[in-house]
C-alpha cells in the first residue's frame, strides 16, 4: 500500500521560500513518478511538478524557475523547494505517486502540470497548506 505524508507547509510573505517534504513508502521507484498537486480554495486541482525514476523533472509553467522537485531515495522522501513565492501559490499541496510505463506517462504529465488535469488514478496524501501573503 502506497503511503504518502506531507509536511513543511506554512505562512510566508510574497518573495519568501518554503520546502515541502513527503515521506513515502509502499511502491517501487522504477514504476512510479512522484510529484506535487495543489488546490487553492475554490479552484480546480492543478499539477505543479513531477519527477521520474531516472531523475527527469517536469514543471508547470507557472512555477518554472521558482520551484525545484527532488527526491532522496535512501530516505524515501520527496521534496519541493519553493522560492520567490507569490500569493497565487496559496493552496493545499498534495504529494502524489503515479505508476507509469515508457509508453504511458499521462498521469505523470498531469501531476507535472504539462497535461490537463483529468481523472487522476494515482495516490495522494492529505496535503500541507501553503499560504502566501502580499
Amino acid at each position: 500500500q502506497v503511503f504518502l505524508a506531507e509536511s513543511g507547509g506554512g505562512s510566508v510573505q510574497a518573495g519568501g521560500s518554503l520546502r515541502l517534504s513527503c515521506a513515502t513508502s509502499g511502491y517501487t521507484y522504477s514504476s512510479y513518478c512522484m510529484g506535487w498537486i495543489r488546490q487553492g480554495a475554490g479552484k480546480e486541482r492543478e499539477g505543479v511538478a513531477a519527477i521520474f525514476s531516472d531523475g527527469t523533472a517536469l514543471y508547470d509553467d507557472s512555477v518554472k524557475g521558482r520551484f525545484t522537485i527532488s527526491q532522496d531515495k535512501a530516505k524515501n522522501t520527496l521534496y519541493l523547494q519553493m522560492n520567490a513565492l507569490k500569493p497565487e501559490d496559496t493552496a493545499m499541496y498534495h504529494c502524489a505517486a503515479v505508476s507509469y510505463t515508457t509508453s504511458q506517462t499521462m498521469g505523470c504529465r498531469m501531476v507535472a502540470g504539462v497535461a490537463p488535469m483529468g481523472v487522476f488514478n494515482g495516490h495522494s496524501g492529505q496535503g500541507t497548506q501553503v499560504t502566501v501573503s502580499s
Side-chain angles (χ1 to χ4, degrees), residues 50-58 69:
I51 186 166
F52 290 83
S53 59
D54 66 355
T56 300
L58 298 175
I69 188 170

Side-chain angles (χ1 to χ4, degrees), residues 9 28 54 81 115:
T28 304
D54 66 355
Q81 178 66 44

Side-chain angles (χ1 to χ4, degrees), residues 29-130:
Y29 279 109
S30 61
S31 302
Y32 281 79
C33 67
M34 302 297 297
W36 296 89
I37 296 170
R38 67 185 180 187
Q39 187 165 19
K43 296 182 179 181
E44 296 291 323
R45 184 173 54 182
E46 61 181 358
V48 177
I51 186 166
F52 290 83
S53 59
D54 66 355
T56 300
L58 298 175
Y59 298 91
D60 181 77
D61 285 343
S62 67
V63 307
K64 277 182 182 176
R66 300 189 298 122
F67 291 10
T68 302
I69 188 170
S70 62
Q71 59 183 19
D72 185 330
K73 295 181 180 180
K75 295 182 178 180
N76 291 325
T77 304
L78 179 74
Y79 302 99
L80 185 67
Q81 178 66 44
M82 305 186 296
N83 298 327
L85 282 161
K86 303 176 181 179
E88 51 263 44
D89 294 319
T90 295
M92 183 72 78
Y93 283 70
H94 301 268
C95 179
V98 183
S99 62
Y100 76 100
T101 65
T102 53
S103 60
Q104 181 47 270
T105 60
M106 177 57 74
C108 299
R109 288 184 284 127
M110 287 168 49
V111 171
V114 299
M117 179 61 74
V119 176
F120 178 65
N121 292 316
H123 305 272
S124 61
Q126 293 297 311
T128 185
Q129 178 68 36
V130 172

